[in-house]
Amino acid sequence: ETGVTQSPTHLIKTRGQQVTLRCSSQSGHNTVSWYQQALGQGPQFIFQYYREEENGRGNFPPRFSGLQFPNYSSELNVNALELDDSALYLCASSGEKQGNYGYTFGSGTRLTVV
Amino acid sequence: KQEVTQIPAALSVPEGENLVLNCSFTDSAIYNLQWFRQDPGKGLTSLLLIQSSQREQTSGRLNASLDKSSGRSTLYIAASQPGDSATYLCAVDNYGQNFVFGPGTRLSVLP
């Protein structure tokens, strides 16, 4: 059983650019959530995808957008990058699995905006 | 709006001590609560998941309890080791929509 994998692990972008982060969910999981974790803080919910549809969104502007594919992998796109977008971006997958309704997190993508 | 707090923010203990990390949440209508460990610059590792109908879960030297009515959870670590040094995050699942995380407790276990 594979876990959640995220790519790339590190990324440096210039203010105003666009970025795409990728996430492969754990086998058997059909729900993917994205979180932003600024330095020294707990992760903040960005949005969740369930069976290719957005299923909830946190307090993030529209320049944060996402996609989920038929194999349940997912992308997070951020347009018009700002310095404050520098953070660790975490992807988590979940699915009904014999009583385990918890989430499995990936190792994250560290985004630095300069 | 669900809010999660964790006390203490940081903790430094000598190796071998038993310790308790605290988590409080404002809305008791939760689906489950999960404790995570995070090493510096890394992702989250799940430690224990407590369903809303459960009172506690145990894994090795770790024990987590949940009191929904008072909005509290504690993570008990027995016989702490230097390898336990990390940030511990408490997260509340609001019925599958999303996790609300606390700010974490940064633990240092000194040899």
Side-chain angles (χ1 to χ4, degrees), chain A residues 31-86:
Chain A
T31 302
V32 172
S33 304
W34 286 91
Y35 289 81
Q36 180 196 67
Q37 186 178 25
L39 203 60
Q41 299 181 20
Q44 298 290 316
F45 174 66
I46 303 174
F47 44 58
Q48 181 185 84
Y49 278 84
Y50 172 70
R51 295 180 184 266
E52 303 179 60
E53 297 285 334
E54 188 176 291
N55 185 43
R57 188 180 182 93
N59 189 28
F60 280 81
R63 59 189 186 85
F64 285 78
S65 63
L67 203 57
Q68 187 179 32
F69 300 98
N71 66 355
Y72 303 130
S73 66
S74 177
E75 286 182 355
L76 164 64
N77 299 290
V78 186
N79 294 322
L81 284 166
E82 301 176 359
L83 296 179
D84 285 349
D85 296 333
S86 296

Side-chain angles (χ1 to χ4, degrees), chain A residues 33 35 37 40-43 45 48 55-56 88 90 99-103 105-108 110, chain B residues 31-32 34 36 38 41-44 46 49 51 89 93 96-104:
Chain A
S33 304
Y35 289 81
Q37 186 178 25
Q41 299 181 20
F45 174 66
Q48 181 185 84
N55 185 43
L88 181 67
L90 296 164
N100 176 9
Y101 296 92
Y103 286 73
F105 279 79
S107 299
R110 170 73 62 186
Chain B
Y31 190 57
N32 62 45
Q34 200 161 354
F36 294 90
Q38 186 173 36
K42 304 295 185 182
L44 306 183
S46 178
L49 167 69
Q51 303 282 1
L89 294 158
D93 186 348
Q97 278 293 311
N98 61 277
F99 268 131
V100 179
F101 282 85

